[in-house]
Amino acid sequence: MFCLGGPFFFLAAVPFALQPEPQEPAPSILLPERTTELPEWAADNAKRRDPGFDQWRTEVLHSSAKPVILPFFQALLEDSPRVEAYVHPSFTGIQGIRPAELELLFDDGAIQVHRATSKSILAMQGQATASAAQGMLSFYKETDDLHPSLKLTQVWLRGDKHFTTRVVLHLSAHQGAAILQTNMEWDVDWVIGASDDDVAIQEVRVLFYEEIRGSGRIFGDVTGATLSGIPFFKAEILRGTGEYQYKTDRLIGNSFIGAQGIAIGDADGDGREDIYICQQGGLPNRLYTHKKDGTVMDSTKFSKTGFLDNTRSALFVDLDNDKDQDLAFSVGANLLIAWNNGSGLFTDLTPLNGPGSEDIYSISSADADGDGDLDLYAARYVANGLIGGVPTPYHDADNGASNIFWRNEGNRQFIDATEAAGFSMNNGKFSLASLWEDFDDDGDMDLYVTNDFGKNNFFINEGGVFVDRATELHAEDLAAGMGITVADTDLDGDLDLYVSNMFSAAGQRIVPQSAKFMSGENQDVHKHYERHARGNSLMIRNEDGTYSDVTMDARVAVGGWAWGARFMDINNDGLEDIYVPNGFVTNKDPDDL
């Protein structure tokens, strides 16, 4: 016998004279190949992935320019830059790159920041490519791991054969223990050849130049040293969202984009912070307790906290005033409170049932009513499931899931007081995070809520009833709100707001073309879409209690697809710095953590 094509397909060798008459082929046990036909609307959307389909010429040119400008930038990092393949015959050089005069902006002994003055940039003359490149590379002597990256944030047409792009560039490397980084902005003029696919660089003008030198690494990755000894480290911690999505019982819950959070708190009362990790439905949540040597141990089984339900958020907080940290976590539209017995064992459970079926995405806690115990606020995102709820209108949606406020009545009892406390006002947003603080310094807690697809809520506590005053305080930040952090950034004694949003280079290129964006219609809302693409926001509190947006002056808008940014004093100089995590769902990549 021999095999054709793989296992289980065997044919017996039979003498020719005994072969039967030809017969109709037997029916195949394999299902016929299926072809998927997209619905008309989806097929139309798929065509629009090509910017030429809708005649977005600026986006076609962007697609042509980026594969040219990146290798051009990389070529500048070579000892003998060869850029002939990327430049037009009329190319005369670069208007410098590294100005001769740099101003020292910051120096704490460990980090130095130098920035070009406007005067020094204006004084730069056109240079040969090699000279300009060497000027930039003079900051990077004895480095061997130069890492360039760039984004094109604007495209301007200049007739049929010319256009200009605004380019944001970053260059980083290590010089021994030192960390080097250069931040730049260029305007690049281009010449279009026989077609829009054929573009070449004509001129480069430097608009902004900044150099940063750190004497050593600020942070070190200790994930492996801390967690690698625990069970299931490789199977769970090092896996991406897609590894388990739709591979467990769907009734337990799956999460399309992950969005599983963590809680930090002292679960076992030993004075060290522990980690509670929320997981996809079908995988147990994990409690890792902190040992004296800095590593952790898996205390999930002992603590009775290995819940299998899809959990998006959790919070360690003392809800019964017995001096230990209880655990509140979300399961769908509900919260479950696991009461700590004082030694890290959570056996007593109290469910808090929320209205509807929409998932709770995050939880925050404070003594909202001033009665001495902590209450809970749950932020919810989309109605009718992640795919089913389309924000309407996109720039300021009011068809999201309602948030829930649970008031602590004592004796481990809670009631839904959302409406009674005033939180039903503007309660149809796509909420992702909330933060309690006494923003107006009147002795009670207020609440800021960040909302995707529109205005944020700023609930001011007025005698136990909360009123949304985001608009009148100029703090609504109509954008793609993801997270919120506060600090006194201008040292005037009150709290300023930093909201995580989304930065979109594509949005910044497309939306300003008002005659073409949205077919030139609804131009009164175009400014909101521009704001949506701008990125993060820094709003400082004024003396009259209103807020002023100083984002662009502070240069803190560009944070990628930003999530829960945090103020922290990274270098211990008494001033609050900002750390901005960012990114979104990706496929497997060698550089993914």
Side-chain angles (χ1 to χ4, degrees), residues 10 59 119 141 167 170-171 186 212 235 270 277 307 309 322 329 332-334 357 393 415 461 502 529 537 554 561 578:
F10 295 102
E59 286 303 284
K119 179 180 178 181
K141 296 177 180 178
V167 188
H170 302 284
L171 184 61
W186 295 353
I212 302 170
D270 63 358
I277 298 180
F307 303 98
D309 303 86
D322 64 352
F329 62 96
N334 313 307
S357 60
I415 64 170
N461 192 337
M502 291 193 306
Y529 283 85
S537 296
W561 193 316
I578 309 174

Side-chain angles (χ1 to χ4, degrees), residues 418-489:
T418 308
E419 185 172 356
F423 289 116
S424 57
M425 184 179 184
N426 300 327
N427 194 21
K429 303 294 185 179
F430 286 69
S431 301
L432 285 170
S434 59
L435 181 68
W436 296 91
E437 287 284 357
D438 182 7
F439 290 102
D440 53 6
D441 293 321
D442 65 350
D444 53 31
M445 301 300 288
D446 311 300
L447 182 70
Y448 194 93
V449 183
T450 59
N451 302 314
D452 203 355
F453 307 109
K455 301 183 185 75
N456 297 330
N457 304 113
F458 199 175
F459 290 107
I460 302 301
N461 192 337
E462 298 184 357
V465 176
F466 291 81
V467 180
D468 186 1
R469 301 200 179 281
T471 299
E472 66 182 84
L473 296 179
H474 309 302
E476 59 187 5
D477 194 43
L478 192 151
M482 304 287 181
I484 172 70
T485 185
V486 299
D488 183 7
T489 61

Side-chain angles (χ1 to χ4, degrees), residues 132-192:
Q134 287 305 311
M136 175 178 64
L137 293 176
S138 63
F139 184 56
Y140 289 91
K141 296 177 180 178
E142 300 179 5
T143 58
D144 56 3
D145 61 343
L146 284 169
H147 179 71
S149 64
L150 57 84
K151 283 184 178 292
L152 279 66
T153 60
Q154 296 286 335
V155 178
W156 297 284
L157 294 173
R158 296 186 294 112
D160 289 337
K161 289 296 183 180
H162 297 84
F163 68 101
T164 300
T165 58
R166 176 69 49 82
V167 188
V168 177
L169 307 99
H170 302 284
L171 184 61
S172 60
H174 292 95
Q175 189 181 68
I179 301 171
L180 309 181
Q181 180 174 322
T182 303
N183 304 317
M184 295 172 281
E185 288 182 12
W186 295 353
D187 272 357
V188 181
D189 292 340
W190 300 78
V191 177
I192 303 170

Side-chain angles (χ1 to χ4, degrees), residues 50-63:
D50 175 7
F53 180 82
D54 282 324
Q55 300 180 350
W56 276 100
R57 192 180 184 207
T58 55
E59 286 303 284
V60 173
L61 293 171
H62 163 265
S63 299

